[in-house]
Amino acid sequence: MELVNVLVAAAAGFGVGALWYGVLSKPWMEASGVEVGSDGKPANSSDPMPYIMGFLAMVLVAGMMRHVFALSDIHTMGKGLVSGFGIGLFLAAPWLMICYGFAGRSRKLVLIDGGYAALGSAAIGLILTAF
């Protein structure tokens, strides 16, 4: 049952990303410098590999969060939501900030990607504690 829980939580985190980047696609493409095709979409949008790797990354994040939650006795949905949000905002986003800062990437990109890290992790935490 825990594997199903992790997979559903990973799907939720991935889904939050689809919504987040769907809404923020133009500012994200601009800030990230991603190549855009004639249709206005990222040039590699037909390549399934980023989507596959993205989902696998969500499985790893959800699996590790499940482990941390079990060790930390985080079992309620409220604690899962807040803890997941904290993991994204205070662990993942600062790491992005460091990497992007040294790479000379824009602050806008840090905010967009860091925002997804926080909201996606919150969704994962919520789902992990819902079962």
Side-chain angles (χ1 to χ4, degrees):
M1 186 65 175
E2 292 298 326
L3 177 61
V4 172
N5 193 5
V6 167
L7 292 174
V8 172
F14 192 82
V16 167
L19 291 172
W20 183 256
Y21 290 106
V23 170
L24 297 172
S25 62
K26 288 188 183 198
W28 176 80
M29 287 188 288
E30 194 177 279
S32 67
V34 71
E35 283 188 46
V36 179
S38 60
D39 59 0
K41 295 180 181 177
N44 71 342
S45 63
S46 64
D47 182 4
M49 195 52 67
Y51 301 98
I52 293 167
M53 297 302 292
F55 186 74
L56 289 175
M58 290 297 96
V59 170
L60 293 173
V61 169
M64 188 62 198
M65 282 178 63
R66 190 202 73 69
H67 176 69
V68 169
F69 283 13
L71 293 175
S72 302
D73 201 30
I74 297 169
H75 296 292
T76 66
M77 291 173 68
K79 286 182 179 181
L81 179 71
V82 171
S83 298
F85 185 75
I87 286 169
L89 188 63
F90 297 112
L91 294 178
W95 207 295
L96 290 172
M97 183 177 65
I98 292 167
C99 294
Y100 290 3
F102 280 102
R105 307 303 292 266
S106 75
R107 289 183 186 97
K108 184 187 243 181
L109 186 61
V110 173
L111 292 173
I112 293 170
D113 289 346
Y116 169 52
L119 293 177
S121 295
I124 289 171
L126 181 68
I127 298 301
L128 287 174
T129 53
F131 292 97

